[in-house]
Amino acid sequence: MRTSRSIATRLSGRILLVTICLYVVAIVIIADATFRSIEDEASNNAVHVLEATSLHIEKTLGEVESSLRGTYWQAMENLQDTNRLYHISYQTVKNNPNIIGCAIALDSSFSGKMFSAPFSYREANGDVLSKGLGSAQYNYYEMDWYSVPFQAEKAMWCKPYYDEGGSKWLMTTYGVPLKKETGEILGILTA
C-alpha cells in the first residue's frame, strides 16, 4: 500500500508540476500578447495624434500665408503712409487669431530712415498693440525674419525664435518681400 500511495503521490506531484508549468507558460503568453497589443495600440494612437497635429499645423500655416496675401496688396498701395501701415498691421493681427504679430519692415533705401517697421502684436491677454520696430539694439535687417526672405527674394518661413524686441513670444515668421514691378525689394511683410 505504501507503494501505491507513493506512486499516487508522485503522480499527483508530477501532474501538479506540469499544470503549474502550463499555467505559467499560459500567463507569459497572455502577458506578452497583451503587452504587444497595448504597444501596437499606443503606437497607432501616436501616429494618429501626430498626423492630426501635422494637419492642424499645416492648416494654421496656410491661414497665415493666405492672410498675408491680402495684406500684401494693402501694404503695397500704402507704403508711403506710415499711419496707414500701422492700421494694416493692426487689422491683420486683430482679424487673424493665428497671427501673433505683423510687421511691415521697410528697407532703408526705400523709406529713407534707418528703421521703419510698423508692427502690431497680440499680448497674452488678447489685446492688440502697435509699436515701431527697429533700433541699434533691434536691427531687424540682421534678423532671420527679415534677412532670409530678403536674400531669397521670395516668401518663406524662418526658423523658430524668441521675439525679444517685438511681441516677446516664441514664434516662427512668414516673410513676404514687398517688391516693385522691377523686382526691387522695398521691405518685408511678416506675420
Side-chain angles (χ1 to χ4, degrees):
M1 218 163 205
R2 267 186 161 197
T3 53
S4 67
R5 278 189 177 192
S6 177
I7 292 175
T9 304
R10 278 190 268 163
L11 186 59
S12 295
R14 287 185 181 158
I15 291 173
L16 183 61
L17 182 61
V18 169
T19 304
I20 290 173
C21 288
L22 290 174
Y23 182 71
V24 168
V25 168
I27 288 176
V28 168
I29 290 171
I30 291 170
D32 183 58
T34 302
F35 176 76
R36 288 178 193 265
S37 175
I38 291 170
E39 187 177 46
D40 289 345
E41 186 64 31
S43 178
N44 288 337
N45 190 33
V47 167
H48 293 303
V49 168
L50 287 174
E51 286 173 354
T53 302
S54 177
L55 289 173
H56 177 71
I57 290 170
E58 286 178 23
K59 177 181 176 258
T60 301
L61 296 179
E63 288 173 0
V64 171
E65 292 172 15
S66 179
S67 294
L68 277 195
R69 280 192 279 281
T71 303
Y72 176 87
W73 295 111
Q74 291 177 335
M76 287 299 291
E77 291 174 2
N78 294 283
L79 286 177
Q80 302 294 338
D81 185 348
T82 304
N83 289 333
R84 186 77 181 125
L85 293 178
Y86 272 104
H87 179 74
I88 291 167
S89 69
Y90 179 88
Q91 289 300 319
T92 299
V93 175
K94 185 176 180 182
N95 296 332
N96 297 284
N98 292 321
I99 295 179
I100 295 170
C102 176
I104 305 168
L106 302 177
D107 191 70
S108 60
S109 64
F110 170 74
S111 69
K113 301 175 189 172
M114 183 58 184
F115 300 106
S116 179
F119 174 65
S120 297
Y121 61 99
R122 187 179 320 280
E123 289 197 316
N125 67 5
D127 291 345
V128 178
L129 303 176
S130 296
K131 66 180 180 179
L133 279 184
S135 67
Q137 294 78 27
Y138 191 82
N139 184 348
Y140 60 76
Y141 301 112
E142 297 174 356
M143 306 284 180
D144 281 353
W145 61 260
Y146 185 93
S147 64
V148 171
F150 190 94
Q151 291 170 2
E153 298 183 12
K154 65 179 184 177
M156 56 193 325
W157 287 94
C158 74
K159 294 177 186 173
Y161 64 97
Y162 180 76
D163 189 24
E164 185 68 41
S167 63
K168 308 227 184 287
W169 287 75
L170 179 63
M171 64 174 67
T172 186
T173 301
Y174 185 66
V176 179
L178 298 166
K179 289 185 180 183
K180 279 184 167 180
E181 291 177 7
T182 61
E184 176 188 1
I185 297 177
L186 307 174
I188 302 294
L189 168 64
T190 69

